[in-house]
Amino acid sequence: MRLSLASQHLLVLLSVLSLTNPSSTTTTDPSVNTTTTTAQPWTAPAVFYPFGLAAGDTEHVETGGESYYSVGLSTPFKFFGRTYNQIYVNYNGLLTFNVPSTSGPYSPTRGAEDFIAALWNDFDDYYNGVFSYQQYTNGSVLTRATQDINQYFSQVNINAAWVFVVTWRYALQPDPAILFQVVLISGSGQSYFLMNYGDCAVLYGQLEAGYDTINSTSYFVIPDSTNGNYQNLKNTSNVNVPGRWAFNAWAAPAIFYLFGSAAGDTEYSLTSDEGYVPVSFSIPYTFFGNTYNSLYVHFNGLLTFNQPQPASGPNYNPTRGAEDFIAALWSDLDDYYSCFFSYQQYTNGSVLTRATHDINQYFPQMNFTASWVFVVTWKYGPQQNPAILLQVVLISGGDLSFFLMNYGDCATISEQMEAGYDTINSIYHFVIPDSTNGNYQNLKNTTNVNVPGRWAFIAGNESVSTTTTAQPWTAPAIFYPFGSAARDAERLISGDEAYESVALSTPYTFFGRTYNSLYVHYNGLITFNQPQPASGPYYYVTRGAEDFIAPLWSDLDDMGWMGKYWYQQYTSGSVLTRATQDINWYFPQMNFTASWVFVVTWDFVATSDVNSFIHHSAQAITFQGVLISGGNLSFFLIHYGDCAIIYDQVEAGYDTINSIHHFVIPGSNVGYSIPNLKNTSNVNVPGRWAFMGGSENVVGLQMRLQSFSDLTKKEDIETVLQQIKQELVNRGLSSSVEMKLRKIKKTQP
């Protein structure tokens, strides 16, 4: 609401009167002594940081209409779990991070904005004014900020590395009728902000001071800002300094389930070395086939089920011991940091709703409903800004069990460490890669479900049964015949990076080298010149000494799933007919006839039950490689059926000696993308990839050009050749192919 014209005249009149009021000189009767008083310059209250032109600030004068300025931050600022590289300074007394101010006050908005409301009001409708701001990365302002934060938050030890000061002034200058300021401070991995208040004249309309976050997960309103007593803000404080409010901007990342006293957790602080607390479950939890009624929460970042773990640091996985455990981050943390953990069980409410949503997102087609959730959270270092933050969430419902592992910041750790899980005799086990390779501080950016900082696992569902009336599982139609029905050679996968040497009835040429045998590996790999002892892939390009095809190369034999592979060679019959048709369809004008085919198929199912394996009644990973040759030409196909998420390094494609020819199927080296392989292709057949194994150096291709002139200029020729090359690479030709124009012939249309 804007003032009426009469009201505006009244304000002007008052201003004139105040300027002509003889406050600086008093004159009386000449016979009486005259007293002259010199006016003192106005100064801001002592709580204010330096501001204005004298401090070197950038200044903006209000020009009307909800104006704002975007400011790029020289140092990112973390505001309650989200990191920002810019901020919006709004004329209406508001700082916003993700969007400029658009809505009116009253917190919490439960909207889509992170903001600090220094004093949020429609000032531009009543007062002229100016706001100014400046960023600091050195000097006395940082020294002052360091002292202030360490004084107000005595349990922390911060060295301010960056300070941003923004100040609003309204009405008469240089003696503002309304004055307030916000100071953002960061350093030592921590974030804080101060709100300073001076005088506050009469305001009209709604107003508010405080802060709010997206979905109002963290928010606060300064009481006197909304109860009509806003002119008293200069006398209020939460740190016993009149006119100053100080806040810690730390919050756990959004992936964390609610924890701590605010969630009603049971809380513990470290009382002894290698301590632990036994916790009884309200509902039994099944962990990879073993059902438990309790667990042990350890101060060293470990959860154990069947017994406590007296060791301070990890026995590197797999232990092949007598324990079922989840290692959120297992290390001798209690020797270096103060430790605090909290936990709670849930059988109803919003936490179960969230868990149900999360599991169905990461494990679709389960139709899962959570009936019990157990959340345990560890914090190490200062409790207000933990140096290390991690969480495990156990989830169960029906006969299914899952667990999540969430990671926030992780400070320096000077001992062995590990994150993952292991089971009795290590039948099932997994180690998060960055937890043991020295890159543990990056855990908050790692994931197996495309959510940074989160890892999600299924804890086994062997209790799922199949009836005798269940129909046997069948492979997708793109698969060539395999298994006992095709009279394949069959092998049960037993682990330990095993492989089998297979003599070929017909030599096979692979990118210029001819082989009479190959090695079929349990881990989804085919090698030619030598076996590959490594369990998982060396990411392409290896530039090593091996020719290989990786239909799906990972540490599959260590997953603990039941697995088999089958293989067979063909030199006659319907399989050769099918291979001939396929190759001529994908590589036309070759006039190809297959004379030899080798089919190898891998099948893994998350079960130890033969019946479940046959019917694929649990998660599965199924894929196939088909080698085809005839005349002097060689090809190979790779087929994908259902493929579960793989929680280890993984890759699909091929490579050659010195990587002269190589290719990685896009998305195959990201574990959470593996389920999508059955929908990918380079020949427009979902789940199938087709490649030429190469023996000829000349490949023919017909294309229609718009104009003969397209091939009369050198630069045009190079452009066309690159386009042709890309089309061939998209169809499986090696990316190292060289394109040369040998002949141009102009024909009549």
Side-chain angles (χ1 to χ4, degrees):
M1 182 185 75
R2 291 192 175 272
L3 294 176
S4 66
L5 184 60
S7 299
Q8 295 180 36
H9 288 167
L10 177 60
L11 288 175
V12 172
L13 176 60
L14 292 174
S15 299
V16 172
L17 289 175
S18 66
L19 289 172
T20 58
N21 185 21
S23 58
S24 59
T25 303
T26 302
T27 303
T28 60
D29 188 279
S31 61
V32 180
N33 290 334
T34 300
T35 301
T36 301
T37 303
T38 303
Q40 296 299 316
W42 175 85
T43 58
V47 295
F48 277 68
Y49 279 49
F51 65 87
L53 293 176
D57 283 4
T58 299
E59 287 197 346
H60 292 284
V61 177
E62 202 285 322
T63 56
E66 324 306 342
S67 57
Y68 63 87
Y69 285 85
S70 174
V71 181
L73 304 182
S74 60
T75 298
F77 184 74
K78 183 176 288 187
F79 186 73
F80 292 99
R82 282 172 287 273
T83 302
Y84 292 100
N85 293 298
Q86 70 171 3
I87 196 169
Y88 299 92
V89 182
N90 296 268
Y91 182 78
N92 60 7
L94 192 65
L95 289 180
T96 56
F97 292 91
N98 48 323
V99 293
S101 169
T102 56
S103 56
Y106 289 109
S107 198
T109 65
R110 303 198 185 283
E113 298 177 29
D114 282 337
F115 66 77
I116 299 172
L119 192 61
W120 190 6
N121 184 255
D122 229 352
F123 295 106
D124 57 307
D125 284 353
Y126 308 100
Y127 296 104
N128 62 347
V130 62
F131 65 78
S132 63
Y133 55 83
Q134 187 174 175
Q135 301 181 64
Y136 300 86
T137 55
N138 55 57
S140 60
V141 169
L142 267 68
T143 302
R144 179 176 177 179
T146 298
Q147 294 171 344
D148 284 343
I149 298 305
N150 286 318
Q151 176 185 346
Y152 306 142
F153 301 91
S154 57
Q155 294 182 340
V156 305
N157 183 18
I158 182 177
N159 286 307
W162 174 85
V163 173
F164 177 76
V165 181
V166 56
T167 310
W168 290 262
R169 291 171 284 165
Y170 298 95
L172 300 179
Q173 308 288 344
D175 185 359
I178 303 171
L179 177 70
F180 53 91
Q181 182 182 75
V182 170
V183 183
L184 308 184
I185 302 168
S186 68
S188 305
Q190 305 171 48
S191 299
Y192 300 85
F193 59 98
L194 309 177
M195 300 166 71
N196 299 323
Y197 295 95
D199 289 329
C200 186
V202 175
L203 296 173
Y204 303 92
Q206 293 178 333
L207 61 140
E208 180 186 285
Y211 64 85
D212 198 9
T213 58
I214 294 173
N215 295 322
S216 295
T217 51
S218 302
Y219 63 90
F220 180 77
V221 178
I222 297 177
D224 278 352
S225 69
T226 57
N227 64 6
N229 200 25
Y230 57 88
Q231 290 182 301
N232 189 51
L233 284 172
K234 65 182 180 181
N235 299 314
T236 65
S237 178
N238 67 339
V239 288
N240 203 29
V241 179
R244 172 166 287 174
W245 290 75
F247 300 96
N248 184 346
W250 181 88
I255 58 170
F256 275 66
Y257 281 48
L258 190 63
F259 65 89
S261 57
D265 284 4
T266 300
E267 299 179 328
Y268 287 91
S269 58
L270 180 64
T271 55
S272 62
D273 286 344
E274 329 311 344
Y276 60 86
V277 174
V279 181
S280 296
F281 291 154
S282 59
I283 294 178
Y285 179 76
T286 299
F287 186 73
F288 292 99
N290 296 320
T291 300
Y292 294 99
N293 293 298
S294 63
L295 56 61
Y296 302 89
V297 181
H298 295 254
F299 285 109
N300 60 7
L302 188 67
L303 292 179
T304 60
F305 291 93
N306 50 320
Q307 60 184 0
Q309 167 56 259
S312 57
N315 302 313
Y316 281 99
N317 244 323
T319 64
R320 306 199 185 281
E323 297 176 30
D324 281 337
F325 66 78
I326 299 171
L329 191 61
W330 186 11
S331 186
D332 210 0
L333 297 167
D334 52 313
D335 285 352
Y336 299 92
Y337 296 97
S338 58
C339 176
F340 174 97
F341 70 76
S342 64
Y343 62 83
Q344 186 173 175
Q345 302 180 63
Y346 300 85
T347 55
N348 56 60
S350 60
V351 171
L352 266 69
T353 302
R354 179 177 181 181
T356 298
H357 174 269
D358 286 343
I359 296 306
N360 284 314
Q361 177 183 349
Y362 308 140
F363 302 92
Q365 300 177 339
M366 287 285 190
N367 194 26
F368 174 76
T369 301
S371 59
W372 175 84
V373 173
F374 177 79
V375 181
V376 56
T377 310
W378 290 263
K379 295 194 293 182
Y380 299 89
Q383 294 309 303
Q384 293 172 323
N385 287 85
I388 301 173
L389 179 68
L390 47 130
Q391 183 181 76
V392 170
V393 183
L394 308 184
I395 303 169
S396 68
D399 56 1
L400 296 171
S401 299
F402 304 85
F403 58 98
L404 310 177
M405 299 167 72
N406 298 324
Y407 294 95
D409 289 329
C410 187
T412 301
I413 299 174
S414 303
E415 296 281 346
Q416 288 181 331
M417 73 200 70
E418 180 182 287
Y421 64 84
D422 200 7
T423 58
I424 295 173
N425 295 321
S426 295
I427 295 174
Y428 304 91
H429 60 88
F430 178 74
V431 178
I432 295 177
D434 276 353
S435 69
T436 57
N437 65 4
N439 201 25
Y440 58 89
Q441 291 182 301
N442 189 50
L443 284 172
K444 65 182 179 182
N445 299 314
T446 66
T447 182
N448 65 340
V449 290
N450 202 28
V451 179
R454 171 166 288 174
W455 290 75
F457 303 93
I458 186 168
N461 64 336
E462 276 70 21
S463 59
V464 175
S465 61
T466 58
T467 65
T468 56
T469 58
Q471 295 299 311
W473 170 83
T474 57
I478 58 171
F479 275 61
Y480 280 47
F482 69 91
S484 57
R487 298 185 179 181
D488 283 0
E490 180 178 303
R491 300 291 183 266
L492 180 66
I493 294 175
S494 58
D496 298 328
E497 328 311 343
Y499 60 87
E500 181 174 356
S501 176
V502 180
L504 304 182
S505 60
T506 298
Y508 181 75
T509 300
F510 187 72
F511 291 100
R513 282 173 288 276
T514 301
Y515 294 100
N516 293 296
S517 64
L518 54 71
Y519 302 89
V520 178
H521 295 253
Y522 288 179
N523 60 9
L525 188 66
I526 300 170
T527 60
F528 291 95
N529 51 320
Q530 60 184 1
Q532 166 57 259
S535 57
Y538 299 115
Y539 284 102
Y540 291 107
V541 177
T542 65
R543 305 198 184 283
E546 298 176 32
D547 283 336
F548 66 77
I549 300 170
L552 194 61
W553 185 13
S554 188
D555 209 359
L556 298 167
D557 53 314
D558 284 347
M559 291 173 61
W561 294 12
M562 179 175 285
K564 291 184 179 182
Y565 71 80
W566 302 263
Y567 65 85
Q568 186 174 172
Q569 302 180 63
Y570 299 86
T571 55
S572 64
S574 61
V575 170
L576 267 69
T577 302
R578 180 176 177 179
T580 298
Q581 293 172 341
D582 285 342
I583 296 305
N584 283 315
W585 181 257
Y586 306 137
F587 301 91
Q589 300 178 343
M590 288 285 188
N591 194 26
F592 174 76
T593 300
S595 59
W596 175 86
V597 173
F598 177 79
V599 180
V600 56
T601 309
W602 291 261
D603 192 27
F604 297 83
V605 181
T607 185
S608 57
D609 177 71
V610 174
N611 194 40
S612 295
F613 179 85
I614 293 172
H615 294 89
H616 271 221
S617 57
Q619 293 186 97
I621 299 173
T622 309
F623 54 95
Q624 183 181 76
V626 181
L627 279 59
I628 304 169
S629 68
N632 61 352
L633 295 173
S634 299
F635 303 86
F636 58 97
L637 310 177
I638 301 177
H639 299 145
Y640 297 100
D642 288 331
C643 288
I645 293 172
I646 295 178
Y647 303 123
D648 209 337
Q649 288 183 332
V650 60
E651 182 174 82
Y654 64 85
D655 200 9
T656 58
I657 293 173
N658 295 322
S659 295
I660 295 174
H661 306 274
H662 60 87
F663 181 77
V664 178
I665 293 177
S668 69
N669 52 8
V670 181
Y672 61 79
S673 296
I674 295 304
N676 190 51
L677 284 175
K678 66 180 181 182
N679 301 314
T680 65
S681 178
N682 67 339
V683 289
N684 204 29
V685 178
R688 172 171 285 175
W689 288 76
F691 303 96
M692 175 180 286
S695 63
E696 290 192 343
N697 296 320
V698 179
V699 176
L701 181 72
Q702 281 190 341
M703 296 183 69
R704 183 180 296 276
L705 302 177
Q706 295 294 324
S707 169
F708 183 72
S709 62
D710 289 344
L711 294 177
T712 58
K713 297 180 181 179
K714 182 177 180 180
E715 58 269 24
D716 291 341
I717 292 174
E718 291 300 321
T719 299
V720 171
L721 290 179
Q722 286 302 313
Q723 292 173 345
I724 295 172
K725 176 180 177 179
Q726 186 59 51
E727 181 64 25
L728 292 173
V729 170
N730 290 343
R731 292 183 173 272
L733 200 66
S734 169
S735 59
S736 61
V737 65
E738 292 186 5
M739 306 297 297
K740 293 183 178 180
L741 184 65
R742 300 180 63 179
K743 182 178 180 181
I744 303 174
K745 181 179 180 181
K746 185 176 182 180
T747 60
Q748 295 298 321

